[in-house]
Amino acid sequence: MSTRLAYLLKKFPRLSETFILNELLAQENLGRELHVFSRRAPDNELRHPELARLRAVVETLPPKHEIDPWEMLIGDDSSPDDLLARLGAVLREARAWGHPRTPLLMVEALHVLKRTRALGIQHVHVHFATDSAVVALLMQKLGGPSYSITCHAKDIYRSTVDFRFLDILVRNSAFVVTVCDANRRWMTERLSPEASRKVRKLYNGIDLARFVPDGSPREPNHVLGVGRLVEKKGFHVMVEALALLLGKGVDVRASLIGDGDQKERLEQLIAARGIGAHVCMLGPRDQAEVRAYMSRAALMIQPCLVGDDGNRDALPTVLIESLAMGLPSVSTPVTGIPEILDQGRCGVMVPENDVQATADAIESLLADSARRARIAADGRRHAEEVFDAEKTSRILSAWFDEALEAARPCATSA
């Protein structure tokens, strides 16, 4: 396949966005050639070893103050008459959108539009219906490639989401993916019928061959938490639950992998409850290290909740990975989590923000190895049936092919 498809992302790579790396690798495994635009330079953080397998060129955009939009508008190679005519119409339309960053995003759109024309890109895929999607919309309005979006959580659940503008993004797209049935219901209840018809559900898949236990013996009192240390992950509930259990003499210890703005709060809570000897905060780790911990732990704890701003997890990748690793999970019925845990058959769900219920579930599962084994076996089967990247990537690839077939070629040089 020729390189007619590009991904437009805010930052790539990102340690916390393994689902995007997984998706890119899965598309390349199908033989698709990709180009990745990263709108910002990536953070100085750990890199997943799997990144070395990515063949796609990752092009980081220059800082906005270094982009000259006039180069695109009056250059010899960009059909300037057509572009200038479109620009006026787009600017008039954009005034009605009320998006506060349209001028800056227009500068980016002009730059990326020039690059897509140079590369022959006919379709652009975006993760999150945020500024990257606005750039894709502006490019399409200017005569550039068609686009599609994967919507996740913060981009549809936060109280600040403007559904009027989200409707514009969705209606103008070739299609929109969202990662669980709960998300799709939420969106279609708030979008126009025309936009709702564009929304399709597709679970994030993982490479099941890479997520298998490494043969290490399970540590029967070891519970694990993995994720960004942010409000919606609810790790303070995990800490409070562990304090309850340790206070009544239950033999339990925990490892917590991740980093985020709640780190200091969690450290203070662990110290205040006097359980520092039993809870190890490990900071960020790459996928290989996370898999090693998943192979040894007895339970995964993911006490996800709805944040004060409405943000929540839609389909936590770490829970899907836990299924594949045969690691039973305790989580909550937030958004797509019941779909991951098959309504409780492949894990234990407790009410969000319920410390006592979380502690009871941990204690019960640690005491019942046979139940853990049943959940582990059911979880692996569920992962193979529903979350196999080989299957999900083929569906997404077919949708890309439909969009590429329908896309009119980008304007050629004058």
Side-chain angles (χ1 to χ4, degrees), residues 63-127:
K64 283 192 287 290
H65 68 273
E66 295 181 9
I67 298 174
D68 180 6
W70 292 107
E71 181 184 357
M72 180 63 186
L73 292 171
I74 65 175
D76 295 336
D77 58 347
S78 59
S79 300
D81 292 341
D82 173 68
L83 183 58
L84 286 168
R86 288 177 180 271
L87 182 62
V90 173
L91 289 174
R92 287 190 292 273
E93 184 177 356
R95 286 196 193 105
W97 299 345
H99 193 284
R101 292 180 297 283
T102 297
L104 288 174
L105 297 176
M106 179 64 80
V107 172
E108 287 190 45
L110 287 166
H111 177 83
V112 181
L113 177 59
K114 181 175 183 178
R115 294 293 299 131
T116 58
R117 287 179 169 178
L119 294 166
I121 300 297
Q122 292 179 275
H123 186 79
V124 171
H125 189 65
V126 176
H127 276 266

Side-chain angles (χ1 to χ4, degrees), residues 35 105 117 178 224 287 340 397:
H35 190 90
L105 297 176
R117 287 179 169 178
T178 195
L224 179 64
Q287 278 189 329
I340 297 175
S397 183

Side-chain angles (χ1 to χ4, degrees), residues 243-288:
L244 280 183
L245 293 173
L246 290 163
K248 62 186 286 188
V250 175
D251 179 22
V252 62
R253 68 182 185 87
S255 298
L256 184 54
I257 295 175
D259 199 4
D261 60 22
Q262 297 282 303
K263 178 183 178 183
E264 185 176 349
R265 177 193 176 191
L266 291 169
E267 289 173 337
Q268 292 172 349
L269 184 59
I270 291 166
R273 298 294 180 262
I275 60 173
H278 301 271
V279 181
C280 184
M281 295 188 68
L282 297 169
R285 300 297 172 102
D286 64 36
Q287 278 189 329

